[in-house]
Amino acid sequence: MPYADSIGAIRDLLDEGVILMAGISNADVSQIDEAREILGGRLVSVQNQFSPAFRSSQGELEHCAELGIAFLPWSPLGGIAGAKDLADRHGAFQEVADEVGASVYQVTLAWELALAPIVIPIPGASRPESIRDSAGATDLVLTADQVARLSA
Ligand SMILES: NC(=O)c1ccc[n+]([C@@H]2O[C@H](COP(=O)([O-])OP(=O)(O)OC[C@H]3O[C@@H](n4cnc5c(N)ncnc54)[C@H](OP(=O)(O)O)[C@@H]3O)[C@@H](O)[C@H]2O)c1
């Protein structure tokens, strides 16, 4: 199905008042532009995979920052399987976690939040401890040097 047809269905829902705002997922830069052409300012978010292990959506993140629309990293900790190995596979994140006295998960989310003001990571969790810990990332401010090391 042509992408414009899928987005056209969302435009119809907006026009009918069924939904007030629209978000798209797993879109590349040209699809974001196509969706924006059809939906205008009613396109408010893009949800793509982004984490220490999966960075190929960096271009879409930057494009959303330029457009001023929210970028929601999905599986921001590497997914249910990958989150367990975050510290082992991404040593820089554990190093910064040791420096700031926070969990590697909090540091990962704080790093994503620091990349642009429009970034809103959506971590999953089944345990209350995970949720409380991840929520703390909003108060964790990393230095520019720490952000640069994690981004490298
Ligand atoms: N748009 C799409 O195509 C798409 C595709 C996949 C996923 N998603 C969305 O992405 C969101 C999250 O993805 P996800 O759950 O797959 O991956 P994730 O958020 O990267 O990882 C979830 C895992 O991280 C663990 N975790 C989270 N916070 C933690 C913390 N502070 N300390 C220790 N462990 C922590 C959780 O453990 P516990 O369970 O033990 O708490 C869980 O195993 C969901 O809302 C999902 O719907 C979207």
Side-chain angles (χ1 to χ4, degrees):
M1 174 176 287
Y3 195 62
D5 289 357
S6 298
I7 301 299
I10 297 175
R11 181 202 49 220
D12 293 346
L13 293 174
L14 285 161
D15 290 346
E16 289 161 17
V18 176
I19 58 172
L20 295 177
M21 295 177 282
I24 56 175
S25 185
N26 301 324
D28 63 25
V29 167
S30 68
Q31 288 172 324
I32 294 169
D33 286 341
E34 197 173 349
R36 199 168 150 84
E37 232 167 74
I38 296 167
L39 304 176
R42 298 178 297 179
L43 174 67
V44 295
S45 69
V46 174
Q47 185 183 140
N48 279 9
Q49 186 173 14
F50 186 80
S51 67
F54 190 96
R55 302 192 185 202
S56 58
S57 287
Q58 177 82 33
E60 285 78 32
L61 185 159
E62 287 164 11
H63 196 54
C64 286
E66 281 160 19
L67 297 174
I69 60 179
F71 180 87
L72 284 52
W74 63 256
S75 290
L77 302 169
I80 292 169
K84 282 189 231 55
D85 304 328
L86 192 52
D88 293 336
R89 291 205 186 154
H90 305 281
F93 284 79
Q94 186 58 55
E95 268 172 41
V96 172
D98 293 340
E99 284 168 23
V100 300
S103 75
V104 71
Y105 304 97
Q106 238 184 52
V107 167
T108 301
L109 297 170
W111 165 67
E112 290 165 2
L113 287 166
L115 293 177
I118 48 77
V119 175
I120 308 169
I122 51 166
S126 56
R127 295 175 302 127
E129 306 88 271
S130 301
I131 296 168
R132 277 192 286 268
D133 183 59
S134 293
T138 53
D139 296 323
L140 177 59
V141 179
L142 302 175
T143 66
D145 171 66
Q146 287 166 334
V147 173
R149 278 158 53 205
L150 299 175
S151 294

